[in-house]
Amino acid sequence: MQLLKKKILENGIVLGDDVLKVDSFLNHCIDTKLMYAIAQEFAERFKNSKITKILTIETSGIAPAVFTGYILDVPVIFAKKSKSITLDKSMFEANIYSYTKMQYYTINVSSKFINRNDTVLIIDDFLANGQAVLGLIDIINQAKAKLVGAGVVIEKGFQGGGRMLRKEGIRVESLAIIDSMSKGEIKFRNEEEEK
Amino acid sequence: MQLLKKKILENGIVLGDDVLKVDSFLNHCIDTKLMYAIAQEFAERFKNSKITKILTIETSGIAPAVFTGYILDVPVIFAKKSKSITLDKSMFEANIYSYTKMQYYTINVSSKFINRNDTVLIIDDFLANGQAVLGLIDIINQAKAKLVGAGVVIEKGFQGGGRMLRKEGIRVESLAIIDSMSKGEIKFRNEEEEK
């Protein structure tokens, strides 16, 4: 998505070889017009998938998810991060390993909100190692719902999560795939190679 | 706002005399069409205020804030909850007392995103004791920005935050004000008395 890539080049800040700061438009200050355009792109790519629910994870996934949900006219559920497993049967829970924090955290979704009749699209802001998406897929599987795929705003292609998920046969649509950020220079994957 | 009040009566769950669970449409599963209608109402009420930024607080404030920001064509900043004061000069920070958890927590906003030229609208999902809004106002004051007021989805009128803020001369626009929930029965304040 050209508009997004332009914004990343203009306003993204590369820290080291693998951290991209996009807090000026994506995950602290939100460019609402860009976010709507991002959602339109997700809605277009998944328009034939008969989606009934969108699943995301707090906090930064909420903005792209709610705009996409609005355009597709479906509810959005956001998984909550909790400190420990509650063993509450009314909750679906999954453990996610954070490579950044080098520890596991638990996410949960009330079992009231996803069931076997649902066709679910995952939306998130970043895809790096793919652990968050795996956790959300775990929850969708517990609910016996159907997974359509994952829509991701920015994929860090060099961190392998996208490759791993696609190898598992999961449809991943990333609006910008970054193949390298070494020496502060952002290199995007060509659109033709993205699939 | 009649559509919202109807939804609260149909889907809200009263726990005890003062807890209202609205996780089926507002703060876990999000009814995206209702959320857009809520944002249209905020945008209408504040349309003459020359707003340049919307400020909210993670997590449940994000959905109503981003739709309102989209309609008013302004960016949305969400304050992040952090465990302790970082003494980072590039951050505005405020302490908020949570009556529910009976402890203070800190919120922060990067000083890059709000400045003296901004006219800021606060948006949040709930107003109870008003401590979160006070914390956000503290940050707006630190930035020397202008405060327009606060748009709140549901105000628990019996908990005094709205009264306290209005007494301070702050414009508070709540789309549903609940005056009582005793014995599980939700009583809304009349529209005429809301101001």
Side-chain angles (χ1 to χ4, degrees), chain B residues 30-149:
Chain B
I30 297 165
D31 180 330
T32 50
K33 280 285 184 284
L34 174 68
M35 203 59 92
Y36 194 88
I38 283 168
Q40 282 180 308
E41 182 69 27
F42 284 138
E44 175 62 26
R45 293 194 190 194
F46 290 101
K47 67 182 174 187
N48 296 321
S49 300
K50 295 177 181 164
I51 291 157
T52 64
K53 301 265 169 71
I54 288 173
L55 181 62
T56 187
I57 188 166
E58 64 178 5
T59 307
S60 318
I62 296 174
V66 295
F67 282 123
T68 309
Y70 174 72
I71 295 167
L72 291 173
D73 196 12
V74 297
V76 170
I77 295 117
F78 62 86
K80 297 183 176 191
K81 291 174 186 171
S82 58
K83 287 217 177 71
S84 62
I85 293 180
T86 59
L87 295 172
D88 181 345
K89 283 189 183 170
S90 66
M91 292 284 187
F92 300 127
E93 292 185 321
N95 287 316
I96 296 177
Y97 184 73
S98 165
Y99 281 90
T100 321
K101 295 181 180 167
M102 291 192 294
Q103 63 184 31
Y104 281 92
Y105 63 98
T106 304
I107 58 167
N108 64 67
V109 169
S110 168
S111 58
K112 287 187 293 189
F113 301 132
I114 307 182
N115 64 53
R116 62 177 70 235
N117 299 316
D118 281 317
T119 302
V120 184
L121 170 64
I122 291 169
I123 295 279
D124 209 357
D125 59 335
F126 266 99
L127 171 60
N129 295 290
Q131 301 303 303
V133 171
L134 284 181
L136 293 170
I137 291 174
D138 186 352
I139 281 174
I140 292 166
N141 288 338
Q142 289 174 49
K144 300 185 170 59
K146 189 182 159 197
L147 169 71
V148 161

Side-chain angles (χ1 to χ4, degrees), chain A residues 11-36:
Chain A
N11 298 97
I13 297 166
V14 179
L15 302 173
D17 281 351
D18 58 0
V19 176
L20 177 66
K21 231 179 139 177
V22 286
D23 63 347
S24 64
F25 60 96
L26 194 66
N27 51 21
H28 183 20
C29 180
I30 297 165
D31 180 331
T32 50
K33 280 287 185 284
L34 174 68
M35 202 59 94
Y36 194 87

Side-chain angles (χ1 to χ4, degrees), chain A residues 1-191:
Chain A
M1 185 184 173
Q2 288 312 317
L3 183 66
L4 173 64
K5 290 179 187 172
K6 190 165 169 277
K7 192 81 179 179
I8 293 169
L9 290 176
E10 284 171 3
N11 298 97
I13 297 166
V14 179
L15 302 173
D17 281 351
D18 58 0
V19 176
L20 177 66
K21 231 179 139 177
V22 286
D23 63 347
S24 64
F25 60 96
L26 194 66
N27 51 21
H28 183 20
C29 180
I30 297 165
D31 180 331
T32 50
K33 280 287 185 284
L34 174 68
M35 202 59 94
Y36 194 87
I38 283 168
Q40 282 180 310
E41 182 69 28
F42 285 138
E44 176 62 26
R45 294 195 189 193
F46 289 101
K47 67 182 174 187
N48 296 321
S49 300
K50 294 177 181 164
I51 291 156
T52 64
K53 300 266 169 71
I54 288 174
L55 180 63
T56 187
I57 188 167
E58 65 179 4
T59 305
S60 319
I62 296 174
V66 294
F67 282 123
T68 309
Y70 174 71
I71 295 167
L72 291 172
D73 196 11
V74 297
V76 169
I77 296 116
F78 62 87
K80 297 182 176 192
K81 291 174 185 169
S82 57
K83 288 221 175 68
S84 62
I85 294 180
T86 58
L87 296 172
D88 181 346
K89 284 191 183 168
S90 66
M91 291 285 185
F92 299 128
E93 291 184 323
N95 287 316
I96 295 177
Y97 184 72
S98 164
Y99 281 90
T100 321
K101 296 181 180 168
M102 292 193 291
Q103 63 183 32
Y104 281 92
Y105 62 97
T106 304
I107 58 168
N108 64 66
V109 170
S110 168
S111 59
K112 286 187 293 188
F113 302 132
I114 307 183
N115 64 53
R116 63 177 70 235
N117 299 316
D118 281 316
T119 302
V120 184
L121 169 65
I122 291 169
I123 294 280
D124 210 357
D125 60 335
F126 266 98
L127 171 61
N129 296 290
Q131 300 303 303
V133 171
L134 285 181
L136 294 170
I137 291 173
D138 186 353
I139 282 173
I140 292 167
N141 288 339
Q142 289 175 50
K144 299 185 169 61
K146 188 182 159 198
L147 169 70
V148 161
V152 169
V153 182
I154 301 175
E155 176 180 339
K156 294 201 265 183
F158 55 90
Q159 287 187 329
R163 192 170 55 238
M164 177 266 294
L165 293 168
R166 291 182 183 96
K167 211 170 159 184
E168 296 282 327
I170 293 155
R171 182 176 173 197
V172 180
E173 294 284 345
S174 301
L175 305 191
I177 303 181
I178 296 170
D179 268 340
S180 153
M181 302 196 299
S182 62
K183 293 173 190 161
E185 194 196 347
I186 297 169
K187 283 186 188 158
F188 293 109
R189 194 171 298 178
N190 291 328
E191 300 270 337

